[in-house]
């Protein structure tokens, strides 16, 4: 019980760290104010909310792995919007993350492990 409590006490910061890594990998233009400086200045997940209108407009022109990764990240921010985006990407289940590289898989795993709500 103590180990689990310690994990969940640290989860919000761990989630933010993973979210920020994901934003760095995907590109700062999709998060917060859309700038590299904004990404560096962010001190919480609130400062790096996904730019939903921009993401929805660009979904069709991104590579399949970029679409999948960004859609998965969005699903932590907004399950309904992220789920719709994943569906548009052809996502059918967790095994579809097998198409992501190790760096992106680690971000998704860390987000899942440390998610405490948005």
């Amino acid at each position: 019980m103590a180990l689990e409590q310690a994990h969940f006490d640290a989860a919000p910061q761990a989630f933010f760290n993973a979210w920020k890594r994901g934003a760095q990998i995907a590109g700062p233009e999709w998060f917060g104010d859309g700038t590299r400086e904004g990404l560096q200045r962010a001190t919480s997940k609130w400062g790096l909310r996904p730019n939903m209108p921009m993401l929805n407009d660009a979904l069709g022109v991104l590579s399949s792995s970029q679409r999948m990764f960004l859609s998965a990240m969005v699903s932590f921010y907004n399950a309904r919007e992220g789920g719709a985006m994943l569906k548009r990407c052809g996502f059918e289940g967790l095994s579809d993350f097998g198409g992501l590289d190790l760096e992106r898989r680690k971000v998704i795993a860390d987000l899942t492990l440390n998610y405490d709500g948005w």
Side-chain angles (χ1 to χ4, degrees):
M1 292 283 280
L3 184 60
E4 189 169 324
Q5 185 61 47
H7 169 81
F8 287 111
D9 287 346
Q13 185 62 46
F15 180 88
F16 172 65
N17 293 341
W19 186 263
K20 194 169 186 176
R21 280 192 349 259
Q24 289 170 330
I25 292 166
E29 64 271 20
W30 307 113
F31 301 92
D33 69 4
T35 67
R36 186 160 306 284
E37 294 77 23
L39 177 65
Q40 297 307 317
R41 279 192 315 268
T43 58
S44 78
K45 62 188 177 189
W46 295 103
L48 293 176
R49 288 183 299 249
N51 182 331
M52 297 304 300
M54 190 172 146
L55 281 166
N56 276 313
D57 288 346
L59 203 59
V61 297
L62 298 171
S63 72
S64 61
S65 64
Q66 186 75 336
R67 282 193 310 261
M68 184 73 67
F69 182 62
L70 282 165
S71 297
M73 286 189 67
V74 167
S75 71
F76 287 98
Y77 173 71
N78 182 309
R80 187 174 50 93
E81 291 273 341
M85 289 173 67
L86 283 165
K87 189 173 185 173
R88 285 176 53 199
C89 295
F91 179 83
E92 294 185 25
L94 294 175
S95 64
D96 288 335
F97 290 139
L100 297 178
D101 64 19
L102 181 60
E103 187 176 34
R104 286 168 178 78
R105 288 183 194 197
K106 284 182 177 182
V107 168
I108 299 302
D110 288 345
L111 291 173
T112 301
L113 185 62
N114 295 294
Y115 183 70
D116 67 329
W118 198 280

